[in-house]
Amino acid sequence: MKPWIEAIHAYVPGKSKAADGRKLVKLSANENPLGTSEAALKARAAAPGPDRYPDPDSTELRDALGALHGVDPARIVCGTGSGELLTVAASAFAGPGDEVLYVRYGFSLYEIAARRCGATPVEAPDADYGTDVDTLLACVTERTRVVFVANPNNPTGSYMSRAELARLHAGLPGHVLLVIDQAYAEYVAPEDDDGGVALANTHDNVLVMRTFSKAYGLAGERIGWATGAPALIAALNRIRGPFNVNLAGQQAALAAVGDQGFVVSSRDSNTRVRAKFVAALEALGNFGLRPLPSEANFVLILFEGALTAETALNGLNDAGYAVRHLPGQGLPQALRITIGTEAQMDEVADVLRTLAENTQ
């Protein structure tokens, strides 16, 4: 086995069952509590049978995405979730002796993507769990080939403005690829768009990644897409999997793109329920609970008092909820909790309040 492969710690998904096997309400994987668009479900059910190969280029889906986002479909590539495209991007532009840079407390797949191609993963220090442009730029060396930035960031929920993202790009050498991972972009208010797609439309060293797993509610279909300069897309097409997006998934995603009302409803619901949940958590500040600002469909809660994250994790499991504890990412003092339904989040807040009061 290659030494850089042996150094990989496999990706750990969010749990959905308790240690004793009980099925829990899954608030550990940032899935859409509203489910999936009815239009997408109908299209998926009506798709041709599994005896036929799908369109290897996802042509209709790329056309629809291009029309929605103002992008030439030739500058779009689809993948098995954005995860495939993230790893393919690293493999296409970095290798042994190169460095792949990302912020501390970023998406755990970035390190895997770097090691998978033999590159050296480099973590830039955070700024109160968020992304700091100056710190990232200070970590760029002559060996840097790829910079991964999630916006909004997973697992912290932090968000870079359009101006800050542009400043980051402007500070990078032209040969360094900036990969902007926008998995949660649909949860951001349109007026706060970070300008990533515009950067990818006008520069040769920017890739933007999106997914259908979050706001679109198609996590089980594993569909993602990327846009960038023609040469970048050509490189990804050379090494992505053939027939990588299944036939039913292409049809479901195509219908989902056409049902933007569902996306808007998902964003509006998330914004409202998240604000109420954060307010409930902030009321527990005297007990050491600190929710970080989030523009995504989850909140990262820091436990800085007598109630520990591990105790809260166990208490929520006992109450029937699965949430994400991330000691493997250097966050033993935190829990990431997906925004579910209003009733679910009210109950989670009540459980945390009771645990905090009983810990004093």
Side-chain angles (χ1 to χ4, degrees), residues 32-151:
N32 190 334
L34 302 187
T36 307
S37 157
E38 286 296 325
L41 291 174
K42 289 178 182 178
R44 179 175 179 267
D51 57 320
R52 294 291 182 265
Y53 283 108
D55 173 8
D57 298 316
S58 303
T59 305
E60 288 185 292
L61 179 55
R62 288 170 41 244
D63 287 345
L65 287 167
L68 177 64
H69 294 282
V71 175
D72 180 355
R75 297 171 66 102
I76 294 174
V77 58
C78 294
T80 309
S82 56
E84 178 194 20
L85 299 174
L86 290 168
T87 57
V88 164
S91 297
F93 297 99
D98 297 329
E99 294 177 346
V100 172
L101 176 64
Y102 49 89
V103 69
R104 182 166 52 191
Y105 310 129
F107 186 29
S108 60
L109 189 60
Y110 302 153
E111 179 183 358
I112 294 174
R115 293 191 186 280
R116 181 179 177 182
C117 64
T120 301
V122 178
E123 282 188 351
D126 64 293
D128 194 23
Y129 300 93
T131 302
D132 182 80
V133 170
D134 294 315
T135 302
L136 265 176
L137 292 175
C139 291
V140 173
T141 72
E142 60 182 14
R143 297 171 59 193
T144 305
R145 293 295 177 269
V146 178
V147 175
F148 283 121
V149 174
N151 206 38

Side-chain angles (χ1 to χ4, degrees), residues 8 34 47 73 80 120-121 129-130 153 180 225 228 251 255 273 342 360:
I8 292 175
L34 302 187
T80 309
T120 301
Y129 300 93
N153 186 50
I180 306 169
W225 61 280
Q251 294 302 305
V273 176
E342 185 170 4
Q360 296 303 300

Side-chain angles (χ1 to χ4, degrees), residues 10 58 68 112 133 137-138 165 181 184 202 223 243 258 308 335 352:
S58 303
L68 177 64
I112 294 174
V133 170
L137 292 175
L165 189 60
D181 180 0
Y184 300 91
T202 54
I223 308 164
F243 304 105
T308 66
L335 296 179
L352 291 174

